[in-house]
Amino acid sequence: MSQAAQAISADSEFDRDTSVSLRAPGVYDADLSEGWAILSAVNGGYLLAIVARALRDALPHPDPFTVTAHYLTPSKPGPAVVRTETVRTGRSLATGQASLFQYEPDGTEVERVRVMAAYGSLDSLGDDVRTLVKPPVLPPPERCLGTEDGPAAFPDDSGFSRRVTVRLDPATAGWAIGAPSGKGEMRGWFSLADGREPDPLSLLLTVDAFPPTAFDLGLKGWTPTVELTTHIRGLPAPGPLRVFVTTRNLAGGYLEEDADVWDSADRLVAQARQLARAPRETRVPGAR
Amino acid sequence: MSQAAQAISADSEFDRDTSVSLRAPGVYDADLSEGWAILSAVNGGYLLAIVARALRDALPHPDPFTVTAHYLTPSKPGPAVVRTETVRTGRSLATGQASLFQYEPDGTEVERVRVMAAYGSLDSLGDDVRTLVKPPVLPPPERCLGTEDGPAAFPDDSGFSRRVTVRLDPATAGWAIGAPSGKGEMRGWFSLADGREPDPLSLLLTVDAFPPTAFDLGLKGWTPTVELTTHIRGLPAPGPLRVFVTTRNLAGGYLEEDADVWDSADRLVAQARQLARAPRETRVPGAR
């Protein structure tokens, strides 16, 4: 890690709260902060950043290229342990696996999330960027809506909503006043509230930080993630990120969410897809 | 499995060549058929169908909902063993992991592919389908192009291309005569050549059966898959499938391929995304 990155790290709540400490080869202690919970559940992207930080230490390459997480049981604030396995080490890519466990009162470990990932060096990839799509148009941040603008963009005044700055395009925020667009979209600006600039680890948080697209479909309630895969496609430039989340297929009680993340230099830096259970209820929070 | 499905199975080359036999609890022997190779490499979707069949036997639910594969080393025709682990068993979903190994001359096992998956019962999901997108328009099969229509749609007269019937939309087949569209798309019809109807296992083959979208970007050469995640979203109706593969982001030597598979009843039955290495060369096979 560069000295500059370390200097940023010491000041960042995100970096402090995702830190891991080596207990034994491949085994890392962590502490899930209640600061990143929504209601009583620890945010899935925050969990992923912790596991990815452990894998970054365990593997010979620094950056997550593709990370798949299966969410097994709900995580709670408190101590955790990440156990990593180096599956394969190659010249340009290394494959790893990791599980985050928490403890029962008797000390038994319970697996919360299992992750499979390939790491490489984004810095070494060079500049042959031929992205075929352009970032969709988004109103400037001051014309977008945050939690302070009336009906909560998040379902509660959670620790999570104080640590991330999400400003929603008004076109995808109608659900907050009972008028969802029905298109299954969430678009907006993202940055960490502590001012830390984005990097591959924080992008893993960004892709799962927006309100569920189900709200924009007129559904309310929890949308638990079954599986989330994120491709980190470039080192993000400093500055706010633009996030575009869409759902195209809601069927049989499940839906996919596709999240594209664009940096301030108009690079598509992350592409994520998750399979989630659709909420059972049909009214959005805040709707009268 | 229903009697009808068993009856189909006995007649199908796909079913015979993806069969697995229980060696010990959770451990399955398989044989990779050279009939599903392209050049000397066994097709990744075929491998995935074998691993998914082992997991279907090992887990308490029958259908893959989400399957992620990391391809570690190239597979060759010949014997293999699939070792499965039941990670978590729930009422509606079970999570499993599996690795397919082959053997060195001295009997050492070498891991080829590692898979993490969640299985459920597609049959139990009910009919609340609210797909927000429509299947893109495709010319009828007789106006699409197969391997018999001049320049090979596949890079060789492989076993694979005789076992799947792929008919490409002419708009995405220009690369075969040196005129790629530059859009990064492959569209066409898919069916198994032996007439076996689609099911969730064969869909895992379908999502990786088309020529690489890189060809339509004017690139030639191998596009090795790093990671492939497939969501199976419904039981496919009998009949030919329509497959739409797109690449939106080629950067730093990597690209994603998104594959949507629609069944004959206009249901979006599979959504897949892979991260692959882009080919190094810039001329497509067949271009003069």
Side-chain angles (χ1 to χ4, degrees), chain A residues 65-66 68 72 85 87-88 92-93 97 114 116-117 125 128-133 183 217 219 227 229 231 233 247-256 260 268 271-273 275 277, chain B residues 65-66 68 70 72 85 87-88 92-93 97 114 116-117 125 128-133 183 217 219 227 229 231 233 247-256 260 268 271-273 275 277:
Chain A
F65 277 27
T66 170
T68 292
L72 305 171
E85 175 196 353
V87 176
R88 180 184 164 273
S92 58
L93 285 179
Q97 183 175 324
R114 187 176 291 207
M116 206 177 333
L125 291 186
D128 63 323
V129 178
R130 287 211 252 169
T131 302
L132 305 176
V133 288
K183 293 180 181 170
L217 293 171
L219 301 172
E227 177 265 330
T229 296
H231 298 173
R233 302 299 304 278
T247 290
R248 297 177 300 138
N249 189 26
L250 169 67
Y254 289 83
L255 53 82
E256 96 287 0
D260 285 352
L268 183 51
Q271 292 170 282
R273 175 174 288 171
L275 183 70
R277 285 184 200 266
Chain B
F65 277 28
T66 170
T68 292
H70 278 248
L72 304 170
E85 175 197 353
V87 176
R88 179 183 164 273
S92 57
L93 284 179
Q97 183 174 324
R114 188 177 289 208
M116 207 177 331
L125 291 187
D128 63 325
V129 178
R130 287 211 253 167
T131 302
L132 305 175
V133 288
K183 294 179 180 170
L217 294 170
L219 300 172
E227 176 265 329
T229 296
H231 298 174
R233 303 298 305 278
T247 290
R248 296 177 302 138
N249 189 26
L250 169 68
Y254 289 83
L255 53 81
E256 96 285 0
D260 285 351
L268 183 51
Q271 291 169 282
R273 174 175 289 171
L275 183 69
R277 285 185 199 264

XYZ file of all heavy atoms in Angstrom, chain A residues 65-66 68 72 85 87-88 92-93 97 114 116-117 125 128-133 183 217 219 227 229 231 233 247-256 260 268 271-273 275 277, chain B residues 65-66 68 70 72 85 87-88 92-93 97 114 116-117 125 128-133 183 217 219 227 229 231 233 247-256 260 268 271-273 275 277:
732
model
N -10.691 -8.567 -8.585
C -11.206 -8.428 -9.956
C -12.659 -8.927 -10.013
O -13.499 -8.324 -10.650
C -10.361 -9.257 -10.931
C -9.110 -8.576 -11.407
C -8.459 -7.611 -10.647
C -8.553 -8.909 -12.638
C -7.299 -6.987 -11.095
C -7.401 -8.296 -13.102
C -6.764 -7.328 -12.332
N -12.914 -10.055 -9.372
C -14.282 -10.591 -9.319
C -14.477 -11.244 -7.963
O -13.636 -12.023 -7.523
C -14.566 -11.570 -10.478
O -15.827 -12.229 -10.237
C -13.484 -12.611 -10.661
N -17.492 -13.046 -5.516
C -18.843 -13.584 -5.347
C -19.073 -13.902 -3.881
O -18.242 -14.556 -3.253
C -19.032 -14.868 -6.182
O -19.019 -14.519 -7.565
C -20.355 -15.550 -5.855
N -25.250 -16.347 4.077
C -25.772 -17.590 4.650
C -26.663 -17.358 5.860
O -27.741 -17.929 5.959
C -24.597 -18.500 5.029
C -23.629 -18.798 3.868
C -22.386 -19.511 4.377
C -24.306 -19.634 2.782
N -8.540 -19.108 2.193
C -7.832 -20.224 1.547
C -7.302 -19.713 0.210
O -8.054 -19.117 -0.566
C -8.816 -21.386 1.297
C -8.180 -22.540 0.530
C -9.219 -23.507 -0.063
O -10.427 -23.355 0.221
O -8.806 -24.387 -0.843
N -6.564 -20.613 -3.265
C -6.967 -21.746 -4.124
C -5.951 -21.959 -5.235
O -5.556 -23.086 -5.537
C -8.372 -21.483 -4.716
C -8.771 -22.587 -5.679
C -9.392 -21.332 -3.590
N -5.521 -20.892 -5.854
C -4.590 -20.990 -6.978
C -3.852 -19.666 -7.097
O -4.446 -18.593 -6.964
C -5.348 -21.264 -8.285
C -4.430 -21.369 -9.491
C -5.227 -21.535 -10.775
N -4.375 -21.258 -11.914
C -4.186 -20.038 -12.431
N -4.816 -19.003 -11.934
N -3.372 -19.879 -13.459
N -0.705 -13.472 -13.099
C -1.495 -12.234 -13.133
C -2.764 -12.305 -12.289
O -3.344 -11.273 -11.971
C -1.854 -11.882 -14.575
O -2.562 -12.941 -15.173
N -3.196 -13.499 -11.928
C -4.415 -13.642 -11.126
C -4.201 -14.686 -10.033
O -3.509 -15.690 -10.253
C -5.594 -14.109 -11.992
C -6.269 -13.122 -12.929
C -7.389 -13.833 -13.696
C -6.844 -11.936 -12.168
N -10.563 -18.064 -1.518
C -11.879 -18.264 -0.929
C -11.799 -17.817 0.517
O -10.737 -17.900 1.147
C -12.242 -19.747 -1.017
C -13.632 -20.038 -0.502
C -14.028 -21.482 -0.709
O -13.678 -22.089 -1.711
N -14.741 -22.022 0.248
N -19.881 -16.599 2.632
C -18.770 -17.302 1.982
C -18.471 -16.602 0.664
O -19.386 -16.260 -0.084
C -19.108 -18.777 1.760
C -17.906 -19.567 1.237
C -18.181 -21.042 1.100
N -18.351 -21.699 2.387
C -18.084 -22.996 2.591
N -17.638 -23.767 1.607
N -18.287 -23.535 3.777
N -15.929 -16.286 -2.887
C -14.913 -16.778 -3.819
C -14.487 -15.587 -4.670
O -15.330 -14.800 -5.111
C -15.469 -17.901 -4.683
C -14.371 -18.841 -5.167
S -14.920 -20.272 -6.124
C -16.528 -20.533 -5.538
N -13.181 -15.457 -4.915
C -12.703 -14.237 -5.569
C -11.444 -14.505 -6.380
O -10.689 -15.435 -6.087
C -12.401 -13.169 -4.519
N -2.860 -3.042 -15.531
C -3.660 -3.457 -16.689
C -3.482 -2.588 -17.912
O -3.853 -2.992 -19.005
C -5.141 -3.518 -16.323
C -5.537 -4.628 -15.352
C -7.043 -4.663 -15.209
C -5.018 -5.982 -15.828
N -5.951 0.301 -22.354
C -6.771 0.039 -23.535
C -8.242 -0.075 -23.137
O -8.818 -1.141 -23.094
C -6.301 -1.211 -24.285
C -6.436 -2.473 -23.445
O -6.200 -2.386 -22.218
O -6.792 -3.521 -24.001
N -8.841 1.068 -22.837
C -10.244 1.107 -22.426
C -11.112 1.315 -23.658
O -10.929 2.275 -24.400
C -10.485 2.243 -21.413
C -11.956 2.311 -21.039
C -9.625 2.042 -20.180
N -12.026 0.356 -23.880
C -12.925 0.482 -25.030
C -14.347 0.262 -24.551
O -15.062 -0.583 -25.077
C -12.593 -0.584 -26.064
C -11.331 -0.333 -26.796
C -11.488 -0.910 -28.196
N -10.700 -2.105 -28.349
C -10.808 -2.916 -29.386
N -11.704 -2.689 -30.333
N -10.042 -3.968 -29.485
N -14.709 0.967 -23.494
C -16.067 0.811 -22.990
C -17.052 1.224 -24.078
O -16.889 2.266 -24.701
C -16.255 1.665 -21.727
O -15.278 1.250 -20.778
C -17.628 1.483 -21.140
N -18.046 0.385 -24.305
C -18.955 0.599 -25.430
C -20.177 1.422 -25.040
O -20.928 1.860 -25.896
C -19.410 -0.752 -25.995
C -18.265 -1.693 -26.398
C -18.837 -3.022 -26.832
C -17.427 -1.083 -27.497
N -20.377 1.596 -23.749
C -21.543 2.362 -23.305
C -21.068 3.619 -22.594
O -19.952 3.704 -22.118
C -22.454 1.533 -22.367
C -23.189 0.476 -23.155
C -21.646 0.910 -21.231
N -40.352 1.230 -12.836
C -39.306 0.790 -13.769
C -38.241 -0.081 -13.115
O -37.397 -0.658 -13.811
C -38.625 2.019 -14.387
C -39.535 2.828 -15.306
C -38.786 4.031 -15.871
C -39.694 4.856 -16.777
N -39.055 6.143 -17.143
N -40.414 -0.572 -7.719
C -41.434 -1.428 -8.334
C -42.715 -1.438 -7.505
O -43.661 -2.162 -7.821
C -40.914 -2.862 -8.474
C -39.763 -3.066 -9.454
C -39.194 -4.477 -9.337
C -40.235 -2.802 -10.888
N -42.868 -2.308 -4.283
C -42.829 -3.336 -3.239
C -42.166 -2.763 -1.999
O -41.282 -1.917 -2.091
C -42.030 -4.550 -3.724
C -42.565 -5.227 -4.977
C -41.592 -6.287 -5.470
C -43.923 -5.848 -4.699
N -27.055 -13.980 -3.392
C -25.707 -14.032 -3.973
C -25.419 -12.704 -4.636
O -26.294 -12.103 -5.265
C -25.653 -15.174 -4.990
C -24.352 -15.317 -5.741
C -24.366 -14.609 -7.089
O -25.452 -14.507 -7.697
O -23.289 -14.153 -7.518
N -22.294 -10.856 -6.986
C -21.008 -10.906 -7.683
C -20.654 -9.515 -8.179
O -21.473 -8.857 -8.823
C -21.049 -11.884 -8.870
O -21.257 -13.210 -8.371
C -19.731 -11.864 -9.650
N -17.653 -7.281 -10.244
C -16.421 -7.163 -11.027
C -15.876 -5.752 -10.829
O -16.582 -4.779 -11.110
C -16.677 -7.374 -12.521
C -17.198 -8.738 -12.874
N -17.616 -9.063 -14.139
C -17.367 -9.858 -12.144
C -18.012 -10.327 -14.176
N -17.879 -10.836 -12.964
N -13.473 -3.174 -12.311
C -12.927 -3.092 -13.661
C -11.864 -2.013 -13.823
O -11.283 -1.846 -14.899
C -14.069 -2.885 -14.664
C -15.142 -3.987 -14.646
C -14.562 -5.355 -15.010
N -13.897 -5.300 -16.285
C -14.519 -5.384 -17.475
N -15.813 -5.561 -17.498
N -13.847 -5.307 -18.592
N -33.387 -3.445 -12.259
C -33.950 -4.792 -12.204
C -34.766 -4.987 -13.467
O -35.574 -4.129 -13.818
C -34.836 -4.957 -10.959
O -34.012 -4.953 -9.802
C -35.626 -6.265 -11.008
N -34.505 -6.091 -14.166
C -35.250 -6.349 -15.396
C -36.223 -7.503 -15.244
O -37.121 -7.687 -16.057
C -34.288 -6.648 -16.552
C -33.369 -5.457 -16.881
C -32.392 -5.819 -17.982
N -31.575 -6.928 -17.570
C -31.239 -7.961 -18.346
N -31.635 -7.996 -19.599
N -30.499 -8.933 -17.882
N -35.992 -8.336 -14.220
C -36.732 -9.588 -14.135
C -37.101 -9.884 -12.693
O -36.239 -10.201 -11.877
C -35.853 -10.716 -14.702
C -36.588 -12.037 -14.883
O -37.808 -12.054 -15.060
N -35.852 -13.128 -14.832
N -38.376 -9.738 -12.383
C -38.911 -10.142 -11.085
C -39.830 -11.316 -11.368
O -40.809 -11.186 -12.095
C -39.697 -8.981 -10.463
C -40.546 -9.299 -9.232
C -39.672 -9.670 -8.043
C -41.424 -8.117 -8.873
N -39.492 -12.477 -10.838
C -40.263 -13.681 -11.175
C -40.139 -14.687 -10.049
O -39.049 -14.887 -9.498
C -39.751 -14.304 -12.478
N -41.262 -15.283 -9.703
C -41.245 -16.362 -8.720
C -40.703 -15.950 -7.368
O -40.155 -16.774 -6.635
N -40.815 -14.668 -7.043
C -40.363 -14.228 -5.723
C -38.890 -13.878 -5.643
O -38.372 -13.605 -4.560
N -38.210 -13.867 -6.773
C -36.800 -13.464 -6.804
C -36.616 -12.355 -7.847
O -37.412 -12.224 -8.791
C -35.892 -14.658 -7.150
C -35.802 -15.665 -6.034
C -36.784 -16.636 -5.862
C -34.741 -15.638 -5.122
C -36.718 -17.559 -4.820
C -34.663 -16.550 -4.080
C -35.652 -17.509 -3.940
O -35.577 -18.406 -2.906
N -35.555 -11.588 -7.669
C -35.219 -10.577 -8.657
C -33.706 -10.443 -8.720
O -32.994 -10.805 -7.770
C -35.871 -9.229 -8.315
C -35.652 -8.643 -6.918
C -34.317 -7.918 -6.820
C -36.785 -7.671 -6.597
N -33.221 -9.939 -9.851
C -31.805 -9.591 -9.944
C -31.676 -8.091 -9.817
O -32.596 -7.329 -10.175
C -31.198 -10.097 -11.264
C -31.137 -9.101 -12.406
C -32.491 -8.822 -13.012
O -33.498 -9.393 -12.550
O -32.566 -7.998 -13.957
N -24.187 -0.683 -11.945
C -23.010 -0.147 -12.642
C -22.506 1.053 -11.858
O -23.302 1.906 -11.451
C -23.383 0.344 -14.045
C -23.606 -0.782 -15.040
O -23.331 -1.952 -14.702
O -24.060 -0.474 -16.154
N -16.262 3.043 -16.301
C -17.125 2.048 -15.661
C -16.231 1.198 -14.755
O -15.542 0.290 -15.228
C -17.821 1.205 -16.733
C -18.821 0.148 -16.288
C -19.872 0.693 -15.340
C -19.506 -0.476 -17.507
N -19.054 -3.425 -11.963
C -20.300 -4.001 -12.471
C -20.688 -5.114 -11.508
O -19.900 -6.042 -11.293
C -20.099 -4.571 -13.874
C -19.826 -3.518 -14.944
C -19.384 -4.129 -16.278
O -18.237 -4.527 -16.417
N -20.282 -4.210 -17.224
N -21.862 -5.012 -10.935
C -22.287 -6.002 -9.952
C -23.662 -6.536 -10.313
O -24.474 -5.835 -10.930
C -22.324 -5.390 -8.553
N -23.900 -7.773 -9.953
C -25.238 -8.358 -10.100
C -25.534 -9.181 -8.867
O -24.675 -9.916 -8.396
C -25.324 -9.234 -11.345
C -26.670 -9.961 -11.484
C -26.782 -10.706 -12.795
N -26.938 -9.793 -13.922
C -26.878 -10.163 -15.209
N -26.656 -11.430 -15.510
N -27.035 -9.271 -16.168
N -28.609 -11.750 -6.909
C -29.904 -12.415 -6.882
C -30.457 -12.220 -5.476
O -29.766 -12.506 -4.489
C -29.754 -13.906 -7.186
C -31.081 -14.682 -7.252
C -31.897 -14.288 -8.486
C -30.818 -16.199 -7.271
N -34.179 -12.148 -2.839
C -35.595 -12.456 -2.676
C -36.381 -11.173 -2.763
O -36.010 -10.174 -2.142
C -35.848 -13.071 -1.306
C -35.407 -14.494 -1.149
C -35.828 -14.953 0.248
N -35.075 -16.089 0.675
C -35.486 -17.352 0.518
N -36.640 -17.608 -0.071
N -34.737 -18.352 0.938
N -30.248 -22.182 -8.628
C -30.784 -20.812 -8.732
C -29.666 -19.859 -9.139
O -29.855 -18.982 -9.955
C -31.383 -20.364 -7.395
C -32.793 -20.815 -7.156
C -33.291 -21.971 -7.724
C -33.630 -20.071 -6.335
C -34.602 -22.378 -7.498
C -34.947 -20.464 -6.100
C -35.426 -21.612 -6.676
N -28.504 -20.009 -8.504
C -27.350 -19.186 -8.845
C -26.101 -20.050 -8.713
O -25.927 -20.746 -7.717
C -27.268 -17.908 -7.983
O -25.997 -17.280 -8.208
C -27.440 -18.177 -6.504
N -21.888 -19.982 -9.452
C -20.667 -19.257 -9.807
C -19.529 -20.246 -9.980
O -19.304 -21.101 -9.125
C -20.299 -18.242 -8.704
O -21.271 -17.206 -8.690
C -18.916 -17.633 -8.960
N -15.343 -20.592 -10.924
C -14.021 -20.052 -11.208
C -13.238 -21.135 -11.945
O -13.081 -22.246 -11.421
C -13.298 -19.658 -9.917
C -13.694 -18.322 -9.391
N -12.844 -17.249 -9.369
C -14.875 -17.872 -8.892
C -13.475 -16.195 -8.863
N -14.705 -16.557 -8.562
N -9.948 -22.693 -13.103
C -8.610 -22.628 -12.517
C -7.526 -23.142 -13.453
O -6.492 -22.509 -13.622
C -8.597 -23.429 -11.209
C -9.660 -22.991 -10.181
C -9.735 -23.986 -9.032
C -9.373 -21.586 -9.667
N -19.589 -30.108 -1.177
C -19.757 -29.792 0.239
C -21.105 -29.109 0.405
O -21.422 -28.168 -0.325
C -18.639 -28.828 0.686
C -18.801 -28.334 2.130
C -17.964 -27.082 2.452
O -17.146 -26.672 1.604
O -18.175 -26.522 3.541
N -23.003 -26.554 2.268
C -22.596 -25.429 3.119
C -23.705 -25.065 4.096
O -23.468 -24.828 5.275
C -22.225 -24.214 2.252
C -21.884 -23.002 3.101
C -21.068 -24.559 1.321
N -24.911 -25.011 3.587
C -26.044 -24.621 4.424
C -27.317 -25.187 3.799
O -27.490 -25.147 2.577
C -26.157 -23.097 4.490
C -27.340 -22.604 5.328
C -27.475 -21.084 5.309
N -28.796 -20.710 5.791
C -29.880 -20.622 5.014
N -29.811 -20.843 3.715
N -31.042 -20.296 5.543
N -36.068 -23.282 1.805
C -36.318 -23.044 0.380
C -35.031 -22.991 -0.447
O -35.082 -23.110 -1.664
C -37.098 -21.735 0.189
O -36.406 -20.649 0.754
N -33.897 -22.807 0.192
C -32.626 -22.738 -0.534
C -31.565 -23.561 0.205
O -31.543 -23.585 1.438
C -32.121 -21.297 -0.625
C -32.779 -20.338 -1.608
C -32.121 -18.964 -1.513
C -32.683 -20.869 -3.050
N -21.023 -26.173 -2.386
C -19.780 -25.868 -3.075
C -19.277 -27.168 -3.687
O -19.528 -28.248 -3.163
C -18.777 -25.317 -2.071
C -17.470 -24.913 -2.723
C -16.545 -24.230 -1.736
O -16.993 -23.500 -0.869
N -15.258 -24.500 -1.861
N -13.891 -24.523 -9.611
C -14.524 -24.498 -8.292
C -15.835 -23.737 -8.404
O -15.897 -22.682 -9.032
C -13.612 -23.858 -7.252
C -14.169 -23.992 -5.834
C -13.244 -23.430 -4.784
N -12.054 -24.238 -4.603
C -11.368 -24.314 -3.462
N -11.763 -23.613 -2.406
N -10.278 -25.047 -3.364
N -19.550 -22.387 -6.510
C -20.413 -22.115 -5.365
C -21.806 -21.894 -5.898
O -21.978 -21.196 -6.905
C -19.922 -20.888 -4.592
C -20.327 -20.952 -3.134
S -19.736 -19.593 -2.104
C -18.265 -19.108 -2.885
N -22.805 -22.453 -5.239
C -24.149 -22.422 -5.811
C -25.216 -22.441 -4.733
O -24.984 -22.930 -3.623
C -24.352 -23.624 -6.730
N -42.016 -22.037 -7.259
C -41.942 -20.587 -7.129
C -43.225 -19.849 -7.486
O -43.383 -18.688 -7.143
C -40.801 -20.029 -7.987
C -39.401 -20.377 -7.516
C -38.377 -19.620 -8.344
C -39.228 -20.046 -6.043
N -45.803 -15.441 -10.305
C -45.823 -13.969 -10.300
C -44.634 -13.437 -11.102
O -43.642 -12.973 -10.575
C -45.826 -13.420 -8.872
C -44.567 -13.782 -8.111
O -44.055 -14.893 -8.334
O -44.074 -12.948 -7.322
N -44.751 -13.559 -12.418
C -43.694 -13.105 -13.318
C -43.961 -11.656 -13.709
O -45.038 -11.347 -14.226
C -43.626 -13.983 -14.580
C -42.561 -13.456 -15.528
C -43.340 -15.419 -14.192
N -42.997 -10.772 -13.419
C -43.151 -9.366 -13.776
C -41.893 -8.907 -14.486
O -41.282 -7.919 -14.106
C -43.326 -8.530 -12.515
C -44.656 -8.707 -11.875
C -45.034 -7.397 -11.199
N -44.930 -7.519 -9.768
C -44.957 -6.471 -8.946
N -45.032 -5.247 -9.428
N -44.892 -6.638 -7.655
N -41.484 -9.680 -15.475
C -40.294 -9.285 -16.217
C -40.545 -7.939 -16.876
O -41.578 -7.730 -17.501
C -39.944 -10.359 -17.259
O -39.758 -11.587 -16.571
C -38.681 -10.003 -18.003
N -39.600 -7.019 -16.694
C -39.804 -5.643 -17.139
C -39.308 -5.417 -18.562
O -39.548 -4.379 -19.150
C -39.083 -4.686 -16.191
C -39.462 -4.845 -14.713
C -38.610 -3.932 -13.864
C -40.935 -4.540 -14.512
N -38.575 -6.375 -19.108
C -38.055 -6.217 -20.462
C -38.656 -7.291 -21.358
O -39.129 -8.323 -20.893
C -36.511 -6.318 -20.477
C -35.901 -5.071 -19.866
C -36.017 -7.565 -19.786
N -20.119 -3.827 -32.156
C -21.025 -3.594 -31.027
C -20.820 -4.551 -29.862
O -21.383 -4.348 -28.783
C -22.485 -3.699 -31.508
C -22.882 -2.607 -32.481
C -24.334 -2.796 -32.916
C -24.766 -1.720 -33.903
N -26.080 -2.018 -34.500
N -16.210 -7.557 -31.804
C -15.440 -6.333 -31.567
C -14.191 -6.277 -32.444
O -13.373 -5.366 -32.311
C -15.027 -6.249 -30.095
C -16.160 -6.079 -29.084
C -15.643 -6.256 -27.663
C -16.818 -4.710 -29.256
N -11.808 -8.638 -32.491
C -10.674 -9.305 -31.861
C -10.701 -10.785 -32.212
O -11.759 -11.361 -32.397
C -10.754 -9.143 -30.335
C -10.738 -7.698 -29.832
C -11.025 -7.667 -28.341
C -9.396 -7.045 -30.137
N -14.363 -16.117 -14.488
C -15.481 -16.401 -13.561
C -16.775 -16.276 -14.334
O -16.931 -15.386 -15.169
C -15.424 -15.392 -12.408
C -16.547 -15.482 -11.403
C -17.702 -14.528 -11.695
O -17.463 -13.452 -12.247
O -18.844 -14.895 -11.377
N -21.024 -16.483 -13.595
C -22.164 -16.649 -12.686
C -23.443 -16.705 -13.503
O -23.681 -15.854 -14.359
C -22.248 -15.500 -11.670
O -21.091 -15.528 -10.831
C -23.494 -15.621 -10.789
N -27.682 -17.154 -13.200
C -28.927 -17.250 -12.442
C -29.947 -17.986 -13.312
O -30.214 -17.548 -14.438
C -29.489 -15.868 -12.108
C -28.602 -15.028 -11.235
N -28.885 -13.722 -10.931
C -27.446 -15.309 -10.575
C -27.940 -13.233 -10.133
N -27.052 -14.168 -9.918
N -33.689 -18.602 -13.747
C -34.835 -17.850 -13.235
C -36.179 -18.516 -13.495
O -37.216 -18.008 -13.071
C -34.815 -16.431 -13.809
C -33.527 -15.639 -13.524
C -33.310 -15.429 -12.032
N -34.474 -14.790 -11.445
C -34.709 -13.469 -11.473
N -33.824 -12.662 -12.046
N -35.780 -12.971 -10.917
N -21.406 -7.372 -24.641
C -20.269 -6.842 -23.875
C -20.372 -5.329 -23.916
O -20.545 -4.748 -24.985
C -18.941 -7.301 -24.503
O -18.807 -8.702 -24.284
C -17.749 -6.579 -23.867
N -20.299 -4.695 -22.739
C -20.387 -3.241 -22.690
C -19.062 -2.598 -22.321
O -18.857 -1.411 -22.521
C -21.464 -2.815 -21.677
C -22.868 -3.276 -22.082
C -23.881 -2.898 -21.010
N -23.497 -3.479 -19.736
C -23.558 -2.844 -18.567
N -24.013 -1.612 -18.511
N -23.185 -3.445 -17.459
N -18.154 -3.385 -21.753
C -16.944 -2.805 -21.182
C -15.747 -3.713 -21.447
O -15.644 -4.799 -20.890
C -17.157 -2.631 -19.658
C -16.061 -1.837 -18.982
O -15.400 -1.014 -19.607
N -15.855 -2.089 -17.703
N -14.879 -3.266 -22.335
C -13.596 -3.932 -22.577
C -12.534 -2.961 -22.090
O -12.433 -1.841 -22.595
C -13.440 -4.214 -24.068
C -12.048 -4.670 -24.534
C -11.722 -6.052 -24.003
C -11.979 -4.688 -26.060
N -11.797 -3.362 -21.071
C -10.830 -2.433 -20.476
C -9.707 -3.226 -19.829
O -9.954 -4.237 -19.171
C -11.504 -1.544 -19.425
N -8.483 -2.755 -20.054
C -7.339 -3.356 -19.392
C -7.162 -4.838 -19.676
O -6.614 -5.572 -18.854
N -7.627 -5.282 -20.847
C -7.421 -6.675 -21.209
C -8.469 -7.636 -20.689
O -8.332 -8.847 -20.843
N -9.525 -7.104 -20.095
C -10.627 -7.952 -19.621
C -11.943 -7.428 -20.186
O -12.064 -6.249 -20.542
C -10.702 -7.960 -18.088
C -9.563 -8.730 -17.452
C -8.319 -8.117 -17.245
C -9.711 -10.053 -17.091
C -7.268 -8.828 -16.681
C -8.662 -10.766 -16.520
C -7.443 -10.149 -16.323
O -6.412 -10.862 -15.775
N -12.915 -8.311 -20.254
C -14.252 -7.903 -20.677
C -15.270 -8.735 -19.932
O -14.967 -9.820 -19.443
C -14.426 -8.052 -22.186
C -14.103 -9.391 -22.836
C -15.247 -10.383 -22.683
C -13.814 -9.206 -24.326
N -16.488 -8.184 -19.839
C -17.603 -8.980 -19.314
C -18.464 -9.433 -20.475
O -18.516 -8.768 -21.511
C -18.413 -8.174 -18.293
C -19.662 -7.483 -18.835
C -19.307 -6.255 -19.665
O -18.116 -5.949 -19.825
O -20.246 -5.608 -20.191
N -28.385 -13.327 -21.808
C -29.785 -13.527 -21.432
C -30.330 -14.668 -22.272
O -30.087 -14.705 -23.484
C -30.625 -12.280 -21.740
C -30.400 -11.148 -20.766
O -29.728 -11.360 -19.732
O -30.917 -10.043 -21.040
N -37.733 -14.994 -19.477
C -36.290 -14.829 -19.295
C -35.858 -15.906 -18.299
O -36.023 -15.750 -17.092
C -36.001 -13.423 -18.776
C -34.542 -13.004 -18.569
C -33.687 -13.272 -19.796
C -34.466 -11.535 -18.193
N -29.958 -15.701 -16.721
C -29.159 -14.476 -16.848
C -27.759 -14.827 -16.364
O -27.589 -15.257 -15.222
C -29.757 -13.360 -15.980
C -31.096 -12.844 -16.473
C -31.777 -11.931 -15.460
O -32.354 -12.389 -14.489
N -31.698 -10.630 -15.686
N -26.788 -14.650 -17.230
C -25.415 -15.013 -16.872
C -24.486 -13.851 -17.138
O -24.729 -13.021 -18.022
C -24.962 -16.234 -17.680
N -23.434 -13.765 -16.344
C -22.382 -12.781 -16.599
C -21.041 -13.462 -16.347
O -20.883 -14.183 -15.377
C -22.532 -11.570 -15.690
C -21.382 -10.569 -15.818
C -21.614 -9.317 -15.003
N -22.669 -8.502 -15.597
C -23.202 -7.425 -14.998
N -22.792 -7.058 -13.807
N -24.153 -6.726 -15.602
N -16.634 -12.812 -16.405
C -15.453 -11.984 -16.590
C -14.445 -12.837 -17.343
O -14.150 -13.966 -16.932
C -14.871 -11.548 -15.249
C -13.661 -10.604 -15.349
C -14.065 -9.226 -15.879
C -12.965 -10.460 -13.988
N -10.765 -12.880 -20.035
C -9.630 -12.148 -20.600
C -9.924 -11.872 -22.056
O -10.357 -12.760 -22.796
C -8.362 -13.005 -20.541
C -7.757 -13.136 -19.181
C -6.441 -13.918 -19.324
N -6.024 -14.465 -18.067
C -5.141 -13.872 -17.257
N -4.599 -12.723 -17.618
N -4.801 -14.425 -16.119
